[in-house]
Amino acid sequence: MDTAAEAPVEGAPDVVVIGAGYTGLSTALFAAEGGLSVHVLEAQCVGYGGSGRNVGLVNAGLWVPPDKLLDTLGPKVGPRFLELFGKGPQAVFDLIEKHQIRCEARREGSIHAAHSPAGLRDLQGRHVAWQRLGAPVDLLTREETAERTGTDFYHGGLLDRRAGKLNPMGYARGLARAARGAGARISTGVPVTGLNRHGDIWRVQTGQGVLETPQVVMATNAYGGTLWPAMQRAFSTIHFFQLATEPLGAATEAVMPGGQGLWDTAPVMTSLTRDAAGRVIIGSMGRMIGTPDSGVSARWARRRLARLFPDLGDVHFVEGWDGKIAMTPDHMPRICQLADGLWTPMGYNGRGITTGTLFGRALAEVLAGAPHDHLPLPVTSLPRLTAPGLQSRFYDLAFTANQVMRGF
C-alpha cells in the first residue's frame, strides 16, 4: 500500500475516501472501475477498524426481521431493499471470485441459533416471514442444529442458505488489492485532521498535505473520531471481542462440522466459527479484557467452550481482539449526506460485510452521476440521539459484568 513515507498526500482526485474498511474500499473499487480518480486515506492500516475485527459472517438481510423491515421502509423501498440484501452474499462472493481474493471464503450458509425456548420462538417467527418471501431459510430442529454445530446446547436454529463466511481481514486486503488494480490510490498511516469546503471543493487536511476534491466519502462508521463532531451523536457504540484458540487438529472437526458460522439469540450474543487452520474463534459483546490466554475474557471463553464442546478439553487462546460497532436505535443503517459532496454511510449494527460492500458499490454509482434513487436507502441527514455516550458506557458496563459473572 502507499504510505505517507513514500509520497506526500497532494493532488485533486475526483473522490477522496476516508477509511480503508469494506465501505471505503468497495467505494474506491467501483468508482475507479467507473473511470473516477480515487484516493483512499486510512489513519492506520487496511481493515484496521470494524472490518478487520469482524466475525466474518456474510449474512443476508439485517438484524431487523424482514416483516418489520418492510413496515419500517414502506412498500416502495422495503421490497427493493430486501431483494438487494438477500442477494448481498452473492455479490460478496462474486467479488471474491472475480478478483481471486484469498480469504477462506465458504458458502455453506450461516446459523442463527436459539439459546432458549424464547429464542426459538423468535426464530420461528422469522422463519415464517422469510418463507412468505420465498427465501431459502430453513428452521432446524434441536437435533438438526446439534448435527450442524456439534453441540446439543441450542434449542434449534435458522439456517440461511444464502449466507456464508470468510476471513474478514483477508477480504479487506483483497478489496484493497482490487481497488489498487483498478487505479485507486490507497495511503495508509495518514489520519485526516480536517475537512473544509471552499466553493465547490473540499479541502481534506492531513499531516502530509492537503487533497482537494469535489466529493468525499467518510467511510469511518464507528471509527470517525472527532473529524465530524455530529457523527458522535448519531449512534451509540458497542464493542465485540473475539478469541482464537491454537490450531486444534482433528479435535476441531467436531466444532461446526457443517462448515457454517454461528451467532445466537441471547441478549448478549455469542458468535462461533472455525478457520482453515483449525482454530476455534469465539466471541461476544464487550471489550477484550486481559491477555488472550488469561484474564476475564479468556475465562469467559474457556467456560463457554467447555459448556458447548466438553470433549475439547482445556484449550489455549493465542489471539484476542475487539472492535467497535455503530448501533442505531432502530437497528437500521443510514446513508447520510452531511453537506454537498460529503457522504457517510453509517450504523451497520454488526452487519458490515454485505452492507459495506453494497453501500460502497451504490455510492460509487452516485458519485459517477447516477441519481440518488440508485442507493439502497433514501438519503437522510444524520440522526441525533439524546445521550449516545451515556448509552455506550451503559453497554460497556453491562457487557463487562456479563463476562465477569459468567467467567467464574
Side-chain angles (χ1 to χ4, degrees):
M1 301 302 168
D2 291 337
T3 69
E6 294 171 350
V9 177
E10 295 175 342
D14 296 321
V15 183
V16 169
V17 177
I18 304 171
Y22 301 139
T23 305
L25 295 169
S26 176
T27 301
L29 169 60
F30 287 104
E33 288 183 338
L36 299 178
S37 58
V38 185
H39 197 150
V40 180
L41 302 176
E42 165 58 49
Q44 301 290 338
C45 61
V46 166
Y48 174 83
S51 294
R53 302 163 194 271
N54 198 284
V55 172
L57 301 182
V58 188
N59 281 318
L62 304 176
W63 280 109
V64 180
D67 46 356
K68 184 177 179 181
L69 186 145
L70 289 170
D71 289 341
T72 300
L73 294 180
K76 182 178 179 180
V77 176
R80 181 168 63 91
F81 183 92
L82 270 180
E83 181 180 6
L84 176 68
F85 271 70
K87 297 176 180 177
Q90 183 65 57
V92 170
F93 290 114
D94 284 348
L95 269 183
I96 291 169
E97 176 65 25
K98 177 180 178 180
H99 297 288
Q100 291 298 290
I101 297 174
R102 296 180 294 275
C103 59
E104 301 180 25
R106 297 186 63 172
R107 197 173 182 188
E108 286 93 355
S110 65
I111 295 176
H112 195 181
H115 79 293
S116 68
L120 181 58
R121 289 192 292 273
D122 175 67
L123 295 184
Q124 289 167 338
R126 290 173 183 260
H127 180 249
V128 169
W130 283 122
Q131 290 296 106
R132 282 199 296 263
L133 295 167
V137 178
D138 300 336
L139 184 65
L140 304 178
T141 65
R142 185 166 197 157
E143 293 74 22
E144 291 169 331
T145 304
E147 181 180 355
R148 290 183 179 274
T149 63
T151 175
D152 62 2
F153 177 81
Y154 296 108
H155 294 252
L158 274 187
L159 171 63
D160 191 333
R161 298 185 182 275
R162 300 167 294 181
K165 65 176 186 176
L166 49 71
N167 180 297
M169 184 61 87
Y171 181 52
R173 290 170 176 165
L175 285 178
R177 175 174 55 80
R180 291 191 73 203
R185 182 177 177 185
I186 302 173
S187 295
T188 56
V190 182
V192 174
T193 57
L195 277 173
N196 298 286
R197 188 169 174 84
H198 296 267
D200 294 332
I201 298 298
W202 285 96
R203 289 175 57 83
V204 184
Q205 301 170 348
T206 78
Q208 303 299 319
V210 175
L211 280 169
E212 294 188 340
T213 180
Q215 302 187 99
V216 176
V217 176
M218 280 186 59
T220 54
N221 206 16
Y223 287 79
T226 59
L227 182 59
W228 197 267
M231 285 280 289
Q232 296 180 306
R233 300 189 295 273
F235 51 77
S236 56
T237 58
I238 66 171
H239 285 76
F240 197 96
F241 73 92
Q242 296 180 80
L243 288 160
T245 68
E246 60 190 349
L248 299 178
T252 195
E253 296 175 6
V255 180
M256 304 303 296
Q260 297 86 13
L262 172 149
W263 79 106
D264 68 20
T265 57
V268 183
M269 184 189 84
T270 296
S271 66
L272 188 69
T273 61
R274 63 180 172 95
D275 68 9
R279 290 180 286 257
V280 176
I281 304 171
I282 186 168
S284 187
M285 296 169 170
R287 294 177 186 266
M288 170 76 183
I289 305 172
T291 63
D293 206 39
S294 64
V296 173
S297 298
R299 285 195 295 270
W300 171 88
R302 197 168 279 115
R303 284 182 61 88
R304 190 67 170 168
L305 281 181
R307 172 62 186 88
L308 295 172
F309 307 102
D311 290 343
L312 284 181
D314 189 30
V315 298
H316 296 282
F317 300 104
V318 294
E319 298 287 347
W321 61 91
D322 63 29
K324 292 189 290 186
I325 299 172
M327 302 290 292
T328 56
D330 57 3
H331 300 296
M332 291 289 295
R334 307 284 197 278
I335 299 176
C336 302
Q337 189 168 19
L338 305 179
D340 289 343
L342 179 59
W343 301 84
T344 187
M346 47 78 69
Y348 292 175
N349 296 277
R351 290 297 178 98
I353 295 176
T354 46
T355 309
T357 303
L358 294 176
F359 278 14
R361 183 179 70 184
L363 274 171
E365 294 174 355
V366 170
L367 294 170
H372 289 186
D373 60 11
H374 278 226
L375 295 171
L377 292 171
V379 178
T380 63
S381 57
L382 280 176
R384 185 184 177 93
L385 304 187
T386 304
L390 184 62
Q391 190 170 31
S392 298
R393 288 192 290 275
F394 170 78
Y395 287 145
D396 247 357
L397 291 172
F399 298 150
T400 298
N402 179 74
Q403 287 189 58
V404 171
M405 289 187 296
R406 296 182 182 275
F408 290 95

mmCIF file with all atom_site columns, all heavy atoms in Angstrom, residues 252-276:
data_model
loop_
_atom_site.group_PDB
_atom_site.id
_atom_site.type_symbol
_atom_site.label_atom_id
_atom_site.label_alt_id
_atom_site.label_comp_id
_atom_site.label_asym_id
_atom_site.label_entity_id
_atom_site.label_seq_id
_atom_site.pdbx_PDB_ins_code
_atom_site.Cartn_x
_atom_site.Cartn_y
_atom_site.Cartn_z
_atom_site.occupancy
_atom_site.B_iso_or_equiv
_atom_site.pdbx_formal_charge
_atom_site.auth_seq_id
_atom_site.auth_comp_id
_atom_site.auth_asym_id
_atom_site.auth_atom_id
_atom_site.pdbx_PDB_model_num
ATOM 1   N N   . THR A 1 252 ? -10.879 -30.151 16.173 1.00 0.00 ? 252 THR A N   1
ATOM 2   C CA  . THR A 1 252 ? -11.702 -29.038 15.715 1.00 0.00 ? 252 THR A CA  1
ATOM 3   C C   . THR A 1 252 ? -12.806 -29.482 14.769 1.00 0.00 ? 252 THR A C   1
ATOM 4   O O   . THR A 1 252 ? -13.762 -28.742 14.537 1.00 0.00 ? 252 THR A O   1
ATOM 5   C CB  . THR A 1 252 ? -10.821 -27.977 15.027 1.00 0.00 ? 252 THR A CB  1
ATOM 6   O OG1 . THR A 1 252 ? -11.571 -26.758 14.907 1.00 0.00 ? 252 THR A OG1 1
ATOM 7   C CG2 . THR A 1 252 ? -10.426 -28.397 13.634 1.00 0.00 ? 252 THR A CG2 1
ATOM 8   N N   . GLU A 1 253 ? -12.696 -30.701 14.228 1.00 0.00 ? 253 GLU A N   1
ATOM 9   C CA  . GLU A 1 253 ? -13.712 -31.180 13.292 1.00 0.00 ? 253 GLU A CA  1
ATOM 10  C C   . GLU A 1 253 ? -15.070 -31.364 13.961 1.00 0.00 ? 253 GLU A C   1
ATOM 11  O O   . GLU A 1 253 ? -16.103 -31.399 13.284 1.00 0.00 ? 253 GLU A O   1
ATOM 12  C CB  . GLU A 1 253 ? -13.253 -32.491 12.658 1.00 0.00 ? 253 GLU A CB  1
ATOM 13  C CG  . GLU A 1 253 ? -11.998 -32.332 11.796 1.00 0.00 ? 253 GLU A CG  1
ATOM 14  C CD  . GLU A 1 253 ? -11.472 -33.653 11.274 1.00 0.00 ? 253 GLU A CD  1
ATOM 15  O OE1 . GLU A 1 253 ? -12.156 -34.687 11.493 1.00 0.00 ? 253 GLU A OE1 1
ATOM 16  O OE2 . GLU A 1 253 ? -10.390 -33.656 10.660 1.00 0.00 ? 253 GLU A OE2 1
ATOM 17  N N   . ALA A 1 254 ? -15.086 -31.460 15.274 1.00 0.00 ? 254 ALA A N   1
ATOM 18  C CA  . ALA A 1 254 ? -16.350 -31.588 15.994 1.00 0.00 ? 254 ALA A CA  1
ATOM 19  C C   . ALA A 1 254 ? -17.047 -30.246 16.185 1.00 0.00 ? 254 ALA A C   1
ATOM 20  O O   . ALA A 1 254 ? -18.208 -30.207 16.586 1.00 0.00 ? 254 ALA A O   1
ATOM 21  C CB  . ALA A 1 254 ? -16.114 -32.238 17.358 1.00 0.00 ? 254 ALA A CB  1
ATOM 22  N N   . VAL A 1 255 ? -16.350 -29.142 15.910 1.00 0.00 ? 255 VAL A N   1
ATOM 23  C CA  . VAL A 1 255 ? -16.903 -27.795 16.089 1.00 0.00 ? 255 VAL A CA  1
ATOM 24  C C   . VAL A 1 255 ? -17.412 -27.288 14.750 1.00 0.00 ? 255 VAL A C   1
ATOM 25  O O   . VAL A 1 255 ? -16.648 -27.193 13.781 1.00 0.00 ? 255 VAL A O   1
ATOM 26  C CB  . VAL A 1 255 ? -15.832 -26.844 16.647 1.00 0.00 ? 255 VAL A CB  1
ATOM 27  C CG1 . VAL A 1 255 ? -16.414 -25.445 16.819 1.00 0.00 ? 255 VAL A CG1 1
ATOM 28  C CG2 . VAL A 1 255 ? -15.292 -27.369 17.972 1.00 0.00 ? 255 VAL A CG2 1
ATOM 29  N N   . MET A 1 256 ? -18.694 -27.008 14.669 1.00 0.00 ? 256 MET A N   1
ATOM 30  C CA  . MET A 1 256 ? -19.322 -26.532 13.437 1.00 0.00 ? 256 MET A CA  1
ATOM 31  C C   . MET A 1 256 ? -18.956 -27.431 12.260 1.00 0.00 ? 256 MET A C   1
ATOM 32  O O   . MET A 1 256 ? -18.401 -26.982 11.249 1.00 0.00 ? 256 MET A O   1
ATOM 33  C CB  . MET A 1 256 ? -18.921 -25.084 13.168 1.00 0.00 ? 256 MET A CB  1
ATOM 34  C CG  . MET A 1 256 ? -19.223 -24.116 14.299 1.00 0.00 ? 256 MET A CG  1
ATOM 35  S SD  . MET A 1 256 ? -20.980 -24.088 14.800 1.00 0.00 ? 256 MET A SD  1
ATOM 36  C CE  . MET A 1 256 ? -21.764 -23.481 13.301 1.00 0.00 ? 256 MET A CE  1
ATOM 37  N N   . PRO A 1 257 ? -19.252 -28.735 12.350 1.00 0.00 ? 257 PRO A N   1
ATOM 38  C CA  . PRO A 1 257 ? -18.855 -29.664 11.287 1.00 0.00 ? 257 PRO A CA  1
ATOM 39  C C   . PRO A 1 257 ? -19.526 -29.386 9.951  1.00 0.00 ? 257 PRO A C   1
ATOM 40  O O   . PRO A 1 257 ? -19.032 -29.838 8.907  1.00 0.00 ? 257 PRO A O   1
ATOM 41  C CB  . PRO A 1 257 ? -19.267 -31.034 11.847 1.00 0.00 ? 257 PRO A CB  1
ATOM 42  C CG  . PRO A 1 257 ? -20.341 -30.732 12.844 1.00 0.00 ? 257 PRO A CG  1
ATOM 43  C CD  . PRO A 1 257 ? -19.949 -29.424 13.447 1.00 0.00 ? 257 PRO A CD  1
ATOM 44  N N   . GLY A 1 258 ? -20.635 -28.644 9.954  1.00 0.00 ? 258 GLY A N   1
ATOM 45  C CA  . GLY A 1 258 ? -21.282 -28.301 8.694  1.00 0.00 ? 258 GLY A CA  1
ATOM 46  C C   . GLY A 1 258 ? -20.595 -27.192 7.932  1.00 0.00 ? 258 GLY A C   1
ATOM 47  O O   . GLY A 1 258 ? -20.968 -26.889 6.793  1.00 0.00 ? 258 GLY A O   1
ATOM 48  N N   . GLY A 1 259 ? -19.593 -26.554 8.558  1.00 0.00 ? 259 GLY A N   1
ATOM 49  C CA  . GLY A 1 259 ? -18.842 -25.501 7.883  1.00 0.00 ? 259 GLY A CA  1
ATOM 50  C C   . GLY A 1 259 ? -19.425 -24.118 8.016  1.00 0.00 ? 259 GLY A C   1
ATOM 51  O O   . GLY A 1 259 ? -18.868 -23.153 7.482  1.00 0.00 ? 259 GLY A O   1
ATOM 52  N N   . GLN A 1 260 ? -20.544 -23.971 8.741  1.00 0.00 ? 260 GLN A N   1
ATOM 53  C CA  . GLN A 1 260 ? -21.154 -22.653 8.897  1.00 0.00 ? 260 GLN A CA  1
ATOM 54  C C   . GLN A 1 260 ? -20.509 -21.881 10.049 1.00 0.00 ? 260 GLN A C   1
ATOM 55  O O   . GLN A 1 260 ? -19.797 -22.444 10.871 1.00 0.00 ? 260 GLN A O   1
ATOM 56  C CB  . GLN A 1 260 ? -22.661 -22.772 9.172  1.00 0.00 ? 260 GLN A CB  1
ATOM 57  C CG  . GLN A 1 260 ? -23.468 -23.397 8.057  1.00 0.00 ? 260 GLN A CG  1
ATOM 58  C CD  . GLN A 1 260 ? -23.519 -24.907 8.122  1.00 0.00 ? 260 GLN A CD  1
ATOM 59  O OE1 . GLN A 1 260 ? -23.157 -25.514 9.131  1.00 0.00 ? 260 GLN A OE1 1
ATOM 60  N NE2 . GLN A 1 260 ? -23.966 -25.533 7.046  1.00 0.00 ? 260 GLN A NE2 1
ATOM 61  N N   . GLY A 1 261 ? -20.798 -20.588 10.092 1.00 0.00 ? 261 GLY A N   1
ATOM 62  C CA  . GLY A 1 261 ? -20.561 -19.787 11.276 1.00 0.00 ? 261 GLY A CA  1
ATOM 63  C C   . GLY A 1 261 ? -21.866 -19.624 12.026 1.00 0.00 ? 261 GLY A C   1
ATOM 64  O O   . GLY A 1 261 ? -22.953 -19.840 11.477 1.00 0.00 ? 261 GLY A O   1
ATOM 65  N N   . LEU A 1 262 ? -21.772 -19.235 13.303 1.00 0.00 ? 262 LEU A N   1
ATOM 66  C CA  . LEU A 1 262 ? -22.958 -19.199 14.165 1.00 0.00 ? 262 LEU A CA  1
ATOM 67  C C   . LEU A 1 262 ? -22.973 -17.927 14.997 1.00 0.00 ? 262 LEU A C   1
ATOM 68  O O   . LEU A 1 262 ? -21.930 -17.428 15.415 1.00 0.00 ? 262 LEU A O   1
ATOM 69  C CB  . LEU A 1 262 ? -22.942 -20.426 15.074 1.00 0.00 ? 262 LEU A CB  1
ATOM 70  C CG  . LEU A 1 262 ? -23.965 -20.559 16.200 1.00 0.00 ? 262 LEU A CG  1
ATOM 71  C CD1 . LEU A 1 262 ? -24.281 -22.039 16.440 1.00 0.00 ? 262 LEU A CD1 1
ATOM 72  C CD2 . LEU A 1 262 ? -23.472 -19.940 17.518 1.00 0.00 ? 262 LEU A CD2 1
ATOM 73  N N   . TRP A 1 263 ? -24.174 -17.410 15.214 1.00 0.00 ? 263 TRP A N   1
ATOM 74  C CA  . TRP A 1 263 ? -24.416 -16.435 16.278 1.00 0.00 ? 263 TRP A CA  1
ATOM 75  C C   . TRP A 1 263 ? -25.736 -16.801 16.913 1.00 0.00 ? 263 TRP A C   1
ATOM 76  O O   . TRP A 1 263 ? -26.572 -17.465 16.290 1.00 0.00 ? 263 TRP A O   1
ATOM 77  C CB  . TRP A 1 263 ? -24.405 -14.999 15.752 1.00 0.00 ? 263 TRP A CB  1
ATOM 78  C CG  . TRP A 1 263 ? -25.653 -14.525 15.065 1.00 0.00 ? 263 TRP A CG  1
ATOM 79  C CD1 . TRP A 1 263 ? -26.585 -13.668 15.562 1.00 0.00 ? 263 TRP A CD1 1
ATOM 80  C CD2 . TRP A 1 263 ? -26.101 -14.847 13.743 1.00 0.00 ? 263 TRP A CD2 1
ATOM 81  N NE1 . TRP A 1 263 ? -27.591 -13.444 14.642 1.00 0.00 ? 263 TRP A NE1 1
ATOM 82  C CE2 . TRP A 1 263 ? -27.318 -14.161 13.512 1.00 0.00 ? 263 TRP A CE2 1
ATOM 83  C CE3 . TRP A 1 263 ? -25.605 -15.663 12.717 1.00 0.00 ? 263 TRP A CE3 1
ATOM 84  C CZ2 . TRP A 1 263 ? -28.027 -14.260 12.326 1.00 0.00 ? 263 TRP A CZ2 1
ATOM 85  C CZ3 . TRP A 1 263 ? -26.322 -15.770 11.531 1.00 0.00 ? 263 TRP A CZ3 1
ATOM 86  C CH2 . TRP A 1 263 ? -27.498 -15.072 11.354 1.00 0.00 ? 263 TRP A CH2 1
ATOM 87  N N   . ASP A 1 264 ? -25.934 -16.439 18.186 1.00 0.00 ? 264 ASP A N   1
ATOM 88  C CA  . ASP A 1 264 ? -27.119 -16.928 18.875 1.00 0.00 ? 264 ASP A CA  1
ATOM 89  C C   . ASP A 1 264 ? -28.089 -15.802 19.211 1.00 0.00 ? 264 ASP A C   1
ATOM 90  O O   . ASP A 1 264 ? -27.845 -14.634 18.927 1.00 0.00 ? 264 ASP A O   1
ATOM 91  C CB  . ASP A 1 264 ? -26.743 -17.763 20.102 1.00 0.00 ? 264 ASP A CB  1
ATOM 92  C CG  . ASP A 1 264 ? -26.102 -16.941 21.215 1.00 0.00 ? 264 ASP A CG  1
ATOM 93  O OD1 . ASP A 1 264 ? -26.267 -15.711 21.253 1.00 0.00 ? 264 ASP A OD1 1
ATOM 94  O OD2 . ASP A 1 264 ? -25.410 -17.560 22.064 1.00 0.00 ? 264 ASP A OD2 1
ATOM 95  N N   . THR A 1 265 ? -29.213 -16.183 19.799 1.00 0.00 ? 265 THR A N   1
ATOM 96  C CA  . THR A 1 265 ? -30.293 -15.239 20.073 1.00 0.00 ? 265 THR A CA  1
ATOM 97  C C   . THR A 1 265 ? -30.195 -14.595 21.451 1.00 0.00 ? 265 THR A C   1
ATOM 98  O O   . THR A 1 265 ? -31.077 -13.817 21.824 1.00 0.00 ? 265 THR A O   1
ATOM 99  C CB  . THR A 1 265 ? -31.659 -15.952 19.979 1.00 0.00 ? 265 THR A CB  1
ATOM 100 O OG1 . THR A 1 265 ? -31.672 -17.060 20.906 1.00 0.00 ? 265 THR A OG1 1
ATOM 101 C CG2 . THR A 1 265 ? -31.908 -16.481 18.572 1.00 0.00 ? 265 THR A CG2 1
ATOM 102 N N   . ALA A 1 266 ? -29.155 -14.896 22.215 1.00 0.00 ? 266 ALA A N   1
ATOM 103 C CA  . ALA A 1 266 ? -29.035 -14.335 23.562 1.00 0.00 ? 266 ALA A CA  1
ATOM 104 C C   . ALA A 1 266 ? -28.918 -12.812 23.497 1.00 0.00 ? 266 ALA A C   1
ATOM 105 O O   . ALA A 1 266 ? -28.334 -12.262 22.560 1.00 0.00 ? 266 ALA A O   1
ATOM 106 C CB  . ALA A 1 266 ? -27.818 -14.917 24.260 1.00 0.00 ? 266 ALA A CB  1
ATOM 107 N N   . PRO A 1 267 ? -29.460 -12.103 24.495 1.00 0.00 ? 267 PRO A N   1
ATOM 108 C CA  . PRO A 1 267 ? -29.316 -10.644 24.512 1.00 0.00 ? 267 PRO A CA  1
ATOM 109 C C   . PRO A 1 267 ? -27.854 -10.206 24.465 1.00 0.00 ? 267 PRO A C   1
ATOM 110 O O   . PRO A 1 267 ? -27.531 -9.194  23.840 1.00 0.00 ? 267 PRO A O   1
ATOM 111 C CB  . PRO A 1 267 ? -29.984 -10.252 25.833 1.00 0.00 ? 267 PRO A CB  1
ATOM 112 C CG  . PRO A 1 267 ? -30.952 -11.354 26.117 1.00 0.00 ? 267 PRO A CG  1
ATOM 113 C CD  . PRO A 1 267 ? -30.303 -12.601 25.598 1.00 0.00 ? 267 PRO A CD  1
ATOM 114 N N   . VAL A 1 268 ? -26.972 -10.940 25.139 1.00 0.00 ? 268 VAL A N   1
ATOM 115 C CA  . VAL A 1 268 ? -25.525 -10.734 24.996 1.00 0.00 ? 268 VAL A CA  1
ATOM 116 C C   . VAL A 1 268 ? -25.035 -11.878 24.112 1.00 0.00 ? 268 VAL A C   1
ATOM 117 O O   . VAL A 1 268 ? -24.750 -12.982 24.579 1.00 0.00 ? 268 VAL A O   1
ATOM 118 C CB  . VAL A 1 268 ? -24.811 -10.713 26.359 1.00 0.00 ? 268 VAL A CB  1
ATOM 119 C CG1 . VAL A 1 268 ? -23.323 -10.428 26.173 1.00 0.00 ? 268 VAL A CG1 1
ATOM 120 C CG2 . VAL A 1 268 ? -25.430 -9.653  27.265 1.00 0.00 ? 268 VAL A CG2 1
ATOM 121 N N   . MET A 1 269 ? -24.943 -11.595 22.853 1.00 0.00 ? 269 MET A N   1
ATOM 122 C CA  . MET A 1 269 ? -24.760 -12.610 21.819 1.00 0.00 ? 269 MET A CA  1
ATOM 123 C C   . MET A 1 269 ? -23.399 -13.296 21.890 1.00 0.00 ? 269 MET A C   1
ATOM 124 O O   . MET A 1 269 ? -22.405 -12.681 22.250 1.00 0.00 ? 269 MET A O   1
ATOM 125 C CB  . MET A 1 269 ? -24.914 -11.927 20.459 1.00 0.00 ? 269 MET A CB  1
ATOM 126 C CG  . MET A 1 269 ? -24.845 -12.836 19.264 1.00 0.00 ? 269 MET A CG  1
ATOM 127 S SD  . MET A 1 269 ? -24.770 -11.868 17.741 1.00 0.00 ? 269 MET A SD  1
ATOM 128 C CE  . MET A 1 269 ? -23.014 -11.516 17.661 1.00 0.00 ? 269 MET A CE  1
ATOM 129 N N   . THR A 1 270 ? -23.368 -14.568 21.516 1.00 0.00 ? 270 THR A N   1
ATOM 130 C CA  . THR A 1 270 ? -22.133 -15.314 21.314 1.00 0.00 ? 270 THR A CA  1
ATOM 131 C C   . THR A 1 270 ? -22.002 -15.644 19.830 1.00 0.00 ? 270 THR A C   1
ATOM 132 O O   . THR A 1 270 ? -22.997 -15.991 19.178 1.00 0.00 ? 270 THR A O   1
ATOM 133 C CB  . THR A 1 270 ? -22.129 -16.623 22.121 1.00 0.00 ? 270 THR A CB  1
ATOM 134 O OG1 . THR A 1 270 ? -22.154 -16.313 23.515 1.00 0.00 ? 270 THR A OG1 1
ATOM 135 C CG2 . THR A 1 270 ? -20.893 -17.455 21.818 1.00 0.00 ? 270 THR A CG2 1
ATOM 136 N N   . SER A 1 271 ? -20.787 -15.531 19.294 1.00 0.00 ? 271 SER A N   1
ATOM 137 C CA  . SER A 1 271 ? -20.506 -15.953 17.923 1.00 0.00 ? 271 SER A CA  1
ATOM 138 C C   . SER A 1 271 ? -19.509 -17.098 17.960 1.00 0.00 ? 271 SER A C   1
ATOM 139 O O   . SER A 1 271 ? -18.735 -17.248 18.910 1.00 0.00 ? 271 SER A O   1
ATOM 140 C CB  . SER A 1 271 ? -19.933 -14.800 17.103 1.00 0.00 ? 271 SER A CB  1
ATOM 141 O OG  . SER A 1 271 ? -18.648 -14.416 17.585 1.00 0.00 ? 271 SER A OG  1
ATOM 142 N N   . LEU A 1 272 ? -19.522 -17.915 16.905 1.00 0.00 ? 272 LEU A N   1
ATOM 143 C CA  . LEU A 1 272 ? -18.646 -19.077 16.866 1.00 0.00 ? 272 LEU A CA  1
ATOM 144 C C   . LEU A 1 272 ? -18.325 -19.424 15.419 1.00 0.00 ? 272 LEU A C   1
ATOM 145 O O   . LEU A 1 272 ? -19.234 -19.566 14.589 1.00 0.00 ? 272 LEU A O   1
ATOM 146 C CB  . LEU A 1 272 ? -19.332 -20.269 17.538 1.00 0.00 ? 272 LEU A CB  1
ATOM 147 C CG  . LEU A 1 272 ? -18.499 -21.526 17.754 1.00 0.00 ? 272 LEU A CG  1
ATOM 148 C CD1 . LEU A 1 272 ? -17.428 -21.278 18.815 1.00 0.00 ? 272 LEU A CD1 1
ATOM 149 C CD2 . LEU A 1 272 ? -19.409 -22.682 18.173 1.00 0.00 ? 272 LEU A CD2 1
ATOM 150 N N   . THR A 1 273 ? -17.038 -19.551 15.110 1.00 0.00 ? 273 THR A N   1
ATOM 151 C CA  . THR A 1 273 ? -16.587 -20.029 13.808 1.00 0.00 ? 273 THR A CA  1
ATOM 152 C C   . THR A 1 273 ? -15.327 -20.862 14.017 1.00 0.00 ? 273 THR A C   1
ATOM 153 O O   . THR A 1 273 ? -14.750 -20.874 15.104 1.00 0.00 ? 273 THR A O   1
ATOM 154 C CB  . THR A 1 273 ? -16.252 -18.876 12.836 1.00 0.00 ? 273 THR A CB  1
ATOM 155 O OG1 . THR A 1 273 ? -15.188 -18.084 13.392 1.00 0.00 ? 273 THR A OG1 1
ATOM 156 C CG2 . THR A 1 273 ? -17.462 -17.986 12.590 1.00 0.00 ? 273 THR A CG2 1
ATOM 157 N N   . ARG A 1 274 ? -14.908 -21.550 12.971 1.00 0.00 ? 274 ARG A N   1
ATOM 158 C CA  . ARG A 1 274 ? -13.573 -22.151 12.971 1.00 0.00 ? 274 ARG A CA  1
ATOM 159 C C   . ARG A 1 274 ? -12.939 -21.837 11.620 1.00 0.00 ? 274 ARG A C   1
ATOM 160 O O   . ARG A 1 274 ? -13.631 -21.715 10.609 1.00 0.00 ? 274 ARG A O   1
ATOM 161 C CB  . ARG A 1 274 ? -13.598 -23.639 13.243 1.00 0.00 ? 274 ARG A CB  1
ATOM 162 C CG  . ARG A 1 274 ? -14.317 -24.503 12.236 1.00 0.00 ? 274 ARG A CG  1
ATOM 163 C CD  . ARG A 1 274 ? -14.240 -25.958 12.689 1.00 0.00 ? 274 ARG A CD  1
ATOM 164 N NE  . ARG A 1 274 ? -15.054 -26.849 11.887 1.00 0.00 ? 274 ARG A NE  1
ATOM 165 C CZ  . ARG A 1 274 ? -14.602 -27.547 10.841 1.00 0.00 ? 274 ARG A CZ  1
ATOM 166 N NH1 . ARG A 1 274 ? -13.344 -27.422 10.464 1.00 0.00 ? 274 ARG A NH1 1
ATOM 167 N NH2 . ARG A 1 274 ? -15.403 -28.358 10.180 1.00 0.00 ? 274 ARG A NH2 1
ATOM 168 N N   . ASP A 1 275 ? -11.619 -21.700 11.616 1.00 0.00 ? 275 ASP A N   1
ATOM 169 C CA  . ASP A 1 275 ? -10.953 -21.264 10.388 1.00 0.00 ? 275 ASP A CA  1
ATOM 170 C C   . ASP A 1 275 ? -10.251 -22.426 9.701  1.00 0.00 ? 275 ASP A C   1
ATOM 171 O O   . ASP A 1 275 ? -10.276 -23.577 10.173 1.00 0.00 ? 275 ASP A O   1
ATOM 172 C CB  . ASP A 1 275 ? -9.998  -20.099 10.662 1.00 0.00 ? 275 ASP A CB  1
ATOM 173 C CG  . ASP A 1 275 ? -8.787  -20.483 11.504 1.00 0.00 ? 275 ASP A CG  1
ATOM 174 O OD1 . ASP A 1 275 ? -8.571  -21.691 11.757 1.00 0.00 ? 275 ASP A OD1 1
ATOM 175 O OD2 . ASP A 1 275 ? -8.048  -19.568 11.919 1.00 0.00 ? 275 ASP A OD2 1
ATOM 176 N N   . ALA A 1 276 ? -9.594  -22.117 8.584  1.00 0.00 ? 276 ALA A N   1
ATOM 177 C CA  . ALA A 1 276 ? -8.972  -23.160 7.767  1.00 0.00 ? 276 ALA A CA  1
ATOM 178 C C   . ALA A 1 276 ? -7.792  -23.820 8.479  1.00 0.00 ? 276 ALA A C   1
ATOM 179 O O   . ALA A 1 276 ? -7.410  -24.945 8.143  1.00 0.00 ? 276 ALA A O   1
ATOM 180 C CB  . ALA A 1 276 ? -8.517  -22.570 6.439  1.00 0.00 ? 276 ALA A CB  1
#
